Amino acid sequence: TFGAGIGGVGVLSKEGDGDDTYRAETLCEGFGSFGIGLLRDSGGTDDYEAMLYAQGSARSQGAGWLIDGAGRDMYRCGGLVDAGAKFPTAHLSCAQAYADGWSGLGGGCGLLTDLGGDDVYVCEVRGQGCALDGGVASLYDKSGNDDYSGYDEGQAFASQSSFSTLFDLDGDDTYTMKVGSCHALGTGYGVALLLDRAGDDVYMARESAPGSGVEHGLGLFVDAEGTDRYYGPPGKGVVAGGSGSLGVFVDLNGDDVYTAGLADGQSKSTPTWGVALDQASTVPTREVGRPQPVPGSDQMPDDDTMAAVFSAATQPDASAAVQDALDRLVRIGAPGLEWMLKNRLDGADSYGVQAFATVVGALGPEGSRQIGAKTFSATDAELAALIEIAVSASVKDFGAVLPGLMKKPALRAAAIAAAGDLNARAAVPELLAACRDKDAEVVRSAVASLTKIADPQSATTAQAMLLNEDFMVRKEAVALMAQFPSQALTAGTSLAGSTDEGRARTGIDVLGRVGTAEALDKIAQMLLDPRPGVRMEALMQLDGRCPEKYRLDFLSLLQDPVALVRSVAKSVSAGGQS
């Protein structure tokens, strides 16, 4: 049903933007075997439900293709046939871009194409770009924030001389697998390719290794853009049958985090033909070849034109039209900023704030002067926007007005946070006073800003804040105290010797932030403290930098009588520092 071709051709094409539900058991929703099956839905929020061989699936000499034009869609398949002894609690799906074949008859071609919308793909074993036995499978998602979820063998998995791909061209996506064999894994002469072109993405599985080659396979993983998170070591090659397998991992841009095997901006290769590259962030500040606008090079237009230009510059996208409008605001220069402050400051959203900041930054001292002058006549709502603009444009001179703004209840929190961002030393007395506020959030923000400013007159307050009852305030105070190493060493030593376990741990934390040889020596003396919490704190602060004469004490905690202390000891290293 719904586009099945078995020894023939079956097509279902649905036009319009209605919201539809397609529900069947198996051999459906774009399935082909010795024939062609095609299901096409032009738009709408659709639900595709099946149990086996569905949603762009094919077997020998067949082609199955599901095409969805647009909309927030749900694809779900599984629950009919057990996956076997390897996965006793799971079922086969063979869906969502899947292809296999019978021996000697060649494989099929399974395709799933989704052209827009935030979509959810759910399968069990085998799906989402999975090919076996000479098959070819490809899942293509053009745009949207998508969720891919499966059990095993999917999300670009190919085995036994097959080829599979998963292409996601845009959006913040999540790729999860309960077990593994995913994220561009080729095995048995299979070739698997996963390309995510843009967006902030998460890749995770119990056995995830993005870009893996196993038993003469090739796995090629490319993430071209975005701030991404990886839960497995990338670029893995496995030797089998006297020859290597090629695993290739490439992340081309963005600030990324890895739990194992790589770090942002690193590259590696292994003797077993595994290679991984995380290219350091290279996001350009401007489109290549676009000339810098010169303030004052355009005449001030009439009000209607100015309103239209500002509206175009504050659209929620990064298109060339928006950049063109921003460039024109800069070229109009000081008269344009004056108009903006008079007519568009009140109610400015984040895109409006960015437009203001672009012009203020381009004008330099004149831009700073104008927003400073505006503070004398602005409403509280306008002042709130001015604080955001000053921070975004890094207008240091704006720090001079922050002490006064901190006296306004509606603006106090924003002004306290901005003081740190703008290194506003004039605001230090007000920040010190805010450390005595009854609101813990205000105190945290004030201490954080004092840490960024690092003015010596805040050292005494920092020491007092180390005893604050609020954990987050204490942690901020530790960071502030560490700005003044001499005082921090004295304060940390005093607290570390306290009979109160909490205070002792705070003192060890302070000494760890100081990090001098003298400070580390004092921490190491606490390794055999009778209190488990103190021993754990000392272990964590000495991770990788334990003084040589205390390393036996450090290593002895691997056999500590307290299980939690032993677990911490296993997670840290004495290091090589003497």
Side-chain angles (χ1 to χ4, degrees):
T1 57
F2 303 135
I6 304 172
V9 177
V11 178
L12 171 61
S13 180
K14 180 261 178 184
E15 298 289 343
D17 294 329
D19 301 337
D20 308 305
T21 298
Y22 299 89
R23 184 179 293 114
E25 276 198 10
T26 184
L27 311 179
C28 58
E29 298 172 8
F31 171 79
S33 180
F34 299 101
I36 299 172
L38 173 64
L39 169 59
R40 173 183 174 273
D41 189 299
S42 63
T45 298
D46 306 314
D47 290 335
Y48 299 91
E49 299 180 18
M51 303 182 79
L52 183 71
Y53 284 113
Q55 299 164 11
S57 178
R59 302 209 71 186
S60 288
Q61 300 183 36
W65 195 358
L66 191 162
I67 307 170
D68 189 280
R72 296 168 58 91
D73 306 311
M74 164 67 83
Y75 302 89
R76 184 184 297 273
C77 189
L80 182 64
V81 175
D82 291 343
K86 185 179 178 181
F87 307 113
T89 62
H91 303 86
L92 293 175
S93 291
C94 304
Q96 298 166 20
Y98 171 83
D100 65 18
W102 283 289
S103 177
L105 296 176
C109 179
L111 310 172
L112 195 163
T113 302
D114 190 292
L115 299 178
D118 300 340
D119 307 309
V120 177
Y121 301 86
V122 179
C123 71
E124 294 187 69
V125 177
R126 299 180 183 172
Q128 299 170 12
C130 174
L132 288 73
D133 302 311
V136 174
S138 179
L139 194 163
Y140 175 96
D141 190 294
K142 184 177 181 181
S143 63
N145 301 322
D146 307 310
D147 292 325
Y148 300 89
S149 176
Y151 198 97
D152 193 79
E153 296 185 2
Q155 296 173 15
F157 170 79
S159 74
Q160 301 159 339
S161 303
S162 61
F163 177 64
S164 71
T165 66
L166 195 165
F167 297 108
D168 191 296
L169 301 191
D170 197 16
D172 301 334
D173 309 308
T174 302
Y175 302 83
T176 62
M177 273 281 176
K178 292 181 174 63
V179 181
S181 299
C182 60
H183 305 158
L185 188 150
T187 180
Y189 298 98
V191 177
L193 165 64
L194 190 154
L195 167 66
D196 189 294
R197 199 172 66 181
D200 300 336
D201 310 308
V202 177
Y203 302 88
M204 54 188 175
R206 192 179 76 193
E207 299 170 3
S208 176
S212 291
V214 180
E215 296 181 356
H216 314 108
L218 165 62
L220 176 58
F221 179 104
V222 180
D223 189 295
E225 189 81 39
T227 299
D228 308 309
R229 299 293 182 268
Y230 299 97
Y231 287 78
K236 180 180 178 182
V238 178
V239 173
S243 180
S245 305
L246 187 58
V248 180
F249 172 93
V250 182
D251 188 297
L252 295 176
N253 202 5
D255 299 322
D256 309 305
V257 174
Y258 300 82
T259 61
L262 202 67
D264 196 43
Q266 287 187 350
S267 63
K268 71 167 189 176
S269 64
T270 67
T272 55
W273 303 3
V275 293
L277 166 68
D278 185 296
Q279 183 169 287
S281 184
T282 57
V283 178
T285 56
R286 291 182 60 79
E287 179 183 337
V288 176
R290 178 184 287 272
Q292 287 284 352
V294 178
S297 57
D298 273 10
Q299 294 292 323
M300 176 68 186
D302 58 60
D303 282 0
D304 289 343
T305 302
M306 191 67 197
V309 174
F310 185 85
S311 177
T314 55
Q315 294 303 303
D317 60 60
S319 66
V322 171
Q323 188 60 60
D324 288 342
L326 285 170
D327 285 355
R328 187 173 182 189
L329 289 178
V330 172
R331 291 197 301 271
I332 294 169
L337 179 58
E338 183 178 353
W339 182 94
M340 290 162 61
L341 290 169
K342 179 180 179 181
N343 297 284
R344 292 295 185 271
L345 185 60
D346 190 4
D349 60 12
S350 60
Y351 302 102
V353 166
Q354 188 56 49
F356 271 99
T358 299
V359 177
V360 169
L363 289 175
E366 172 60 20
S368 301
R369 185 198 67 77
Q370 284 205 32
I371 67 167
K374 181 64 177 178
T375 60
F376 295 103
S377 60
T379 64
D380 282 357
E382 291 175 329
L383 287 168
L386 286 173
I387 292 173
E388 292 188 58
I389 293 165
V391 171
S392 183
S394 192
V395 181
K396 302 298 184 183
D397 292 345
F398 196 83
V401 306
L402 289 176
L405 299 183
M406 289 181 193
K407 294 180 170 64
K408 290 178 170 285
L411 302 171
R412 191 162 184 246
I416 287 173
D421 294 327
L422 297 177
N423 196 28
R425 294 189 176 275
V428 168
E430 288 293 333
L431 292 173
L432 293 174
C435 289
R436 299 189 296 271
D437 199 279
K438 294 180 180 179
D439 187 335
E441 289 291 342
V442 171
V443 177
R444 294 169 191 165
S445 182
V447 178
S449 286
L450 287 170
T451 302
K452 295 176 182 178
I453 298 170
D455 190 287
Q457 62 182 305
S458 60
T460 302
T461 296
Q463 186 169 349
M465 290 292 99
L466 293 173
L467 304 179
N468 195 283
E469 294 181 356
D470 185 279
F471 173 76
M472 294 303 298
V473 171
R474 292 201 306 274
K475 296 300 287 185
E476 291 288 356
V478 169
L480 175 57
M481 193 77 244
Q483 302 296 315
F484 318 106
S486 178
Q487 297 99 314
L489 182 63
T490 301
T493 301
S494 176
L495 283 174
S498 172
T499 57
D500 181 272
E501 183 174 335
R503 293 188 178 188
R505 295 188 68 165
T506 298
I508 294 172
D509 193 0
V510 172
L511 293 171
R513 295 293 188 102
V514 175
T516 62
E518 183 180 0
L520 296 178
D521 191 84
K522 291 181 180 298
I523 296 173
Q525 295 172 32
M526 310 297 291
L527 284 167
L528 301 183
D529 190 276
R531 295 163 292 185
V534 172
R535 299 199 296 276
M536 288 188 289
E537 188 70 43
L539 281 168
M540 291 185 288
Q541 294 299 334
L542 293 174
D543 185 14
R545 53 180 184 168
C546 181
E548 187 171 2
K549 65 180 179 179
Y550 292 101
R551 287 183 185 170
L552 288 178
D553 292 342
F554 188 100
L555 296 173
S556 73
L557 297 183
L558 290 167
Q559 283 78 43
D560 194 274
V562 178
L564 192 54
V565 176
R566 294 197 302 271
S567 69
V568 173
K570 292 176 182 177
S571 70
V572 296
S573 167
Q577 180 176 329
S578 60

